[in-house]
């Protein structure tokens, strides 16, 4: 049983001014056996702190953590299992390899600590090196290897103890984009082979979506939404999640007589049905993705806009169009050429409604970012 359960987990850190910061705020979460689960969120939202509490490097302020059927942290009972007895593999963002040890000894390190006999140790290290394509490099020192190879050493070292759960904290952030993609794939392959449970921490939304079976989005210590990548992308429950998961336009809207008007546009309403959850709100935002807006010259049922700017991109043409006093981005196929300065018509394919975000929230989020 390799599932992970967090019950009402809170972590507060003291701050220099004598106060405290709630790094993780009463989170509840179950990660199933064999699942690849991503934690996504901006810097300072509490991802690393959560991972460190699961690993046992950080005590809890409140709550419980269970790995499989075993409680590993229960604050109320002061019950705490040390990291080395939690059966975890871990890889962190910085290449935590020892420069004075060659590849073999770096990978063998956790087994030497355990006093494993030589035959078993050689066998385990050889296996781990093979699975991370490092065989043949046993005697090389890390400084003679590339960033990707160094991160593989860290991966091999976490594999060598045959963990049932892998905790990966931004393991690919220091690699170049091409390498990141191939390493993502390798991690998934390893998971298939060994069937361990993975928590993968990242601030990169496409990485989270590509790698995970399920994922959560955190903000200021809270879990905002947790679901499959598809549901999160298509049905974000808040403006914050919408904006975090892909390119987005947020059009300010005023509601008059049940109709939606772009702020600054007195006459013409947008064909958009205000959802029930908006209640009696008189303003809000209409969220849309640039590739989910149809744009054409013809006057159909679309909303008239002015093409302000046209930018050729490799995968589309990007138009900046003026709607009332606001500007939004539209991605159209290369065949759809419109002139700058001309009038066009747009249709929102899958627009969503959200209330405005409070200014205090935005300010608090910036304050939490750790440099
Ligand atoms: P993330 O990994 O999502 O970037 P962290 O978990 O590192 O976020 O940090 C969450 C919050 O907790 C931040 O506001 C950070 O400043 C604070 N924090 C993290 N570790 C410590 C610490 N050891 N002491 C004090 N504050 C900390
Ligand atoms: Mg972090």
């Amino acid at each position: 049983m390799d599932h992970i359960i967090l019950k009402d987990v809170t972590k507060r850190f003291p701050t220099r001014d004598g106060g405290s910061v709630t790094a993780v705020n009463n989170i509840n979460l179950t990660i199933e056996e064999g699942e690849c689960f991503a934690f996504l969120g901006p810097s300072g939202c509490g991802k690393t702190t959560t991972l460190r509490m699961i690993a046992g490097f950080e005590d809890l302020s409140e709550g419980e953590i269970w790995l499989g059927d075993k409680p590993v942290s229960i604050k109320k009972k002061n019950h705490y299992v040390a990291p080395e007895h939690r059966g975890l593999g871990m890889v962190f963002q910085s290449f935590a390899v020892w420069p004075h040890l060659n590849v073999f000894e770096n990978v063998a390190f956790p087994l030497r600590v355990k006093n494993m006999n030589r035959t078993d140790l050689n066998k385990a290290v050889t296996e781990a090196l093979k699975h991370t394509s490092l065989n043949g490099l046993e005697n090389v020192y890390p400084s003679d290897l590339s960033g990707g190879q160094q991160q593989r050493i860290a991966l091999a070292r976490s594999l060598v103890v045959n963990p049932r759960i892998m905790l990966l904290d931004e393991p690919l952030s220091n690699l170049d984009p091409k390498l990141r993609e191939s390493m993502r794939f390798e991690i998934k392959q390893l998971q298939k082979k060994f069937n361990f449970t993975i928590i993968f921490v990242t601030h990169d939304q496409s990485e989270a979506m590509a790698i995970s079976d399920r994922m959560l989005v955190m903000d200021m210590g809270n879990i905002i939404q947790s679901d499959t990548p598809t549901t999160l992308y298509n049905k974000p429950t808040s403006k914050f999640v919408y904006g975090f998961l892909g390119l987005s336009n947020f059009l300010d809207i005023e509601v008059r007589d049940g109709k939606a008007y772009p702020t600054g546009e007195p006459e013409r309403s947008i064909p958009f049905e205000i959802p029930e959850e908006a209640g009696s709100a008189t303003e809000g935002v209409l969220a849309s993705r640039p590739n989910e807006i149809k744009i054409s010259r013809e006057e159909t049922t679309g909303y008239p806009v002015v093409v302000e700017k046209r930018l050729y991109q490799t995968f589309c043409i990007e138009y900046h169009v003026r709607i009332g006093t606001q500007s939004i981005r539209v991605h159209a196929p290369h065949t759809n050429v419109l002139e700058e300065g001309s009038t066009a018509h747009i249709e929102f394919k899958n627009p969503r409604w959200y209330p405005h975000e409070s200014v205090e929230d935005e300010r608090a989020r910036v304050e939490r970012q750790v440099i």
Side-chain angles (χ1 to χ4, degrees):
M1 301 286 265
D2 311 311
H3 55 260
I4 303 166
I5 298 174
L6 280 73
K7 288 187 197 163
D8 304 323
V9 171
T10 293
K11 178 69 184 182
R12 285 178 291 267
F13 287 110
T15 48
R16 263 188 235 126
D17 60 7
S20 76
V21 56
T22 306
V24 174
N25 187 19
N26 193 31
I27 66 173
N28 285 281
L29 178 67
T30 300
I31 295 166
E32 306 295 343
E33 180 172 351
E35 201 168 23
C36 183
F37 198 104
F39 287 3
L40 180 68
S43 172
C45 73
K47 306 180 294 293
T48 294
T49 305
T50 306
L51 211 66
R52 286 174 57 81
M53 287 192 286
I54 297 171
F57 293 130
E58 208 73 74
D59 196 7
L60 283 56
S61 303
E62 283 167 42
E64 303 182 3
I65 297 177
W66 293 63
L67 299 181
D69 296 332
K70 230 173 71 182
V72 290
S73 291
I74 299 188
K75 187 62 195 172
K76 249 193 212 139
K77 297 183 183 165
N78 263 333
H79 174 74
Y80 166 80
V81 175
E84 61 273 25
H85 296 125
R86 294 191 177 200
L88 304 166
M90 273 168 283
V91 179
F92 297 102
Q93 175 175 5
S94 53
F95 312 131
V97 293
W98 286 287
H100 61 290
L101 296 179
N102 66 22
V103 171
F104 186 95
E105 286 305 324
N106 257 288
V107 176
F109 190 84
L111 305 180
R112 296 238 186 264
V113 174
K114 285 184 169 181
N115 279 326
M116 185 183 268
N117 72 61
R118 223 168 90 184
T119 321
D120 289 346
L121 181 142
N122 278 334
K123 203 169 143 222
V125 174
T126 307
E127 269 295 291
L129 292 175
K130 196 179 88 197
H131 289 304
T132 47
S133 311
L134 287 170
N135 37 344
L137 298 173
E138 287 80 355
N139 299 318
V140 178
Y141 284 82
S143 57
D144 292 326
L145 295 173
S146 68
Q149 285 168 319
Q150 291 190 32
Q151 201 55 324
R152 279 211 186 91
I153 301 176
L155 201 56
R157 194 174 51 202
S158 65
L159 280 177
V160 81
V161 294
N162 197 17
R164 300 307 309 144
I165 295 171
M166 274 283 212
L167 305 180
L168 308 173
D169 192 355
E170 311 228 6
L172 311 180
S173 298
N174 285 339
L175 306 178
D176 66 62
K178 247 199 180 145
L179 197 55
R180 286 172 78 144
E181 253 176 59
S182 66
M183 286 284 286
R184 256 185 222 167
F185 181 70
E186 283 177 37
I187 290 171
K188 285 295 273 188
Q189 291 295 101
L190 285 171
Q191 188 195 18
K192 241 187 223 158
K193 203 173 286 169
F194 296 104
N195 196 34
F196 35 62
T197 307
I198 294 183
I199 301 183
F200 191 100
V201 169
T202 178
H203 63 268
D204 177 334
Q205 56 277 25
S206 41
E207 190 161 277
M209 293 183 71
I211 205 164
S212 68
D213 302 309
R214 280 195 306 153
M215 59 197 249
L216 60 79
V217 178
M218 271 183 105
D219 185 30
M220 297 192 275
N222 298 293
I223 297 177
I224 305 297
Q225 197 176 351
S226 166
D227 217 311
T228 59
T230 328
T231 305
L232 270 177
Y233 184 80
N234 291 311
K235 297 196 169 120
T237 52
S238 67
K239 182 182 172 221
F240 173 77
V241 175
Y242 194 103
F244 207 77
L245 285 183
L247 294 176
S248 46
N249 291 302
F250 295 116
L251 191 67
D252 289 336
I253 292 292
E254 283 167 13
V255 182
R256 294 194 292 273
D257 301 329
K259 287 184 183 153
Y261 294 83
T263 302
E265 164 56 53
E267 312 237 310
R268 197 158 175 155
S269 65
I270 292 188
F272 171 68
E273 206 169 309
I274 310 218
E276 230 165 73
E277 74 252 25
S280 56
T282 54
E283 53 176 40
V285 290
L286 185 150
S288 62
R289 307 225 181 262
N291 63 354
E292 292 179 344
I293 300 172
K294 193 179 151 207
I295 186 162
S296 69
R297 205 174 317 226
E298 288 91 54
E299 202 166 331
T300 47
T301 52
Y303 195 90
V305 293
V306 175
V307 177
E308 288 184 317
K309 209 186 236 176
R310 181 178 67 198
L311 300 160
Y312 282 96
Q313 306 222 352
T314 48
F315 58 96
C316 70
I317 303 180
E318 176 169 302
Y319 292 108
H320 294 197
V321 303
R322 198 172 70 240
I323 176 163
T325 53
Q326 303 173 68
S327 182
I328 61 172
R329 285 189 292 177
V330 178
H331 286 175
H334 282 131
T335 47
N336 190 356
V337 182
L338 300 163
E339 301 306 319
E340 287 183 357
S342 68
T343 298
H345 295 83
I346 60 168
E347 263 177 80
F348 295 102
K349 287 296 165 204
N350 187 22
R352 297 185 71 82
W353 166 275
Y354 297 110
H356 284 293
E357 198 170 46
S358 81
V359 182
E360 291 92 80
D361 273 5
E362 285 180 36
R363 196 174 307 135
R365 192 175 299 131
V366 171
E367 270 168 25
R368 291 174 64 99
Q369 315 253 325
V370 254
I371 314 294

